Amino acid sequence: MPAIRSRPGKIVCVGRNYPEHAKELGNEVPKEPLIFLKPPSSVVWQGETIVLPSASRRVEYEGEIGVVVGRSMTRVSENDVTSGIRSIIAVNDVTARDLQKSDSQWTRAKGFDTFCPLGEESSELPDLDSLTVVTRVNGVERQRGKSSEMVFSIPSLLAYISRIMTLEPGDLVATGTPSGVGPLVSGDIVEIEIPGVSRVSNPVQEDQ
Ligand code: ZN
């Protein structure tokens, strides 16, 4: 399957979906999935630069397992989700952590241009229960999480979201980040890899 080079129609993200990550930021694991949106204009691709906005003093990586929707899904049951998934994709949910803490909505913290690097879509659909996501900064591993450790599984997330908003072909669901988030500085190279499935690496630069 060719890479998607058209942006998703919408990007639905999930917060606090790994217990260790919720804990490291001082949060409880939510009782229902915590969802928010990133704008499609935040997407960049392999090798493109992540720009650190001057409005933030602390921008962090969040390596995530992304799910690309293949067919329209409205109020689907968990059992019917898998056939509606097109592919798995590596996602970096880049976040201005200071602005996330100071703003009650996360739109600014999550929504800057270049804050959503995406890898290539997987050529086939891998086993959703045995995915691993790894983040490296300058070649050093910073995060490693497994889909089996998620608070809410991939099928339960998509079923939940589809009860709120119709998921349409090409939409992207970013399923949350494991523990180990940390800052990016100018000159870094950050890589998100779902081994054997998808990867994306990007240089980081100050806003000029
Ligand atoms: Zn995230």
Side-chain angles (χ1 to χ4, degrees), residues 14 36 62 64 93 110:
V14 180
F36 58 94
E62 292 191 358
E64 305 198 8
D93 173 22
K110 299 281 191 176

Side-chain angles (χ1 to χ4, degrees), residues 115-154:
F115 269 26
C116 192
L118 298 181
E120 294 204 348
E121 291 189 60
S122 62
S123 50
E124 50 195 47
L125 194 60
D127 176 11
L128 299 178
D129 297 323
S130 57
L131 296 169
T132 298
V133 60
V134 180
T135 302
R136 297 180 195 89
V137 179
N138 305 324
V140 178
E141 184 172 310
R142 299 293 184 189
Q143 293 185 287
R144 178 174 287 264
K146 293 177 164 40
S147 54
S148 58
E149 300 163 349
M150 290 177 178
V151 178
F152 301 102
S153 69
I154 291 172

Side-chain angles (χ1 to χ4, degrees), residues 100-121:
Q100 185 185 26
K101 287 174 180 152
S102 63
D103 295 358
S104 61
Q105 297 275 338
W106 298 355
T107 307
R108 180 167 68 140
K110 299 281 191 176
F112 284 97
D113 287 357
T114 78
F115 269 26
C116 192
L118 298 181
E120 294 204 348
E121 291 189 60

Side-chain angles (χ1 to χ4, degrees), residues 13-16 21 36 38 62-64 92-95 97 110 174-177:
C13 298
V14 180
R16 302 173 194 164
H21 171 64
F36 58 94
K38 275 173 104 79
E62 292 191 358
E64 305 198 8
N92 192 349
D93 173 22
V94 179
T95 302
R97 195 70 70 201
K110 299 281 191 176
T175 59
T177 200

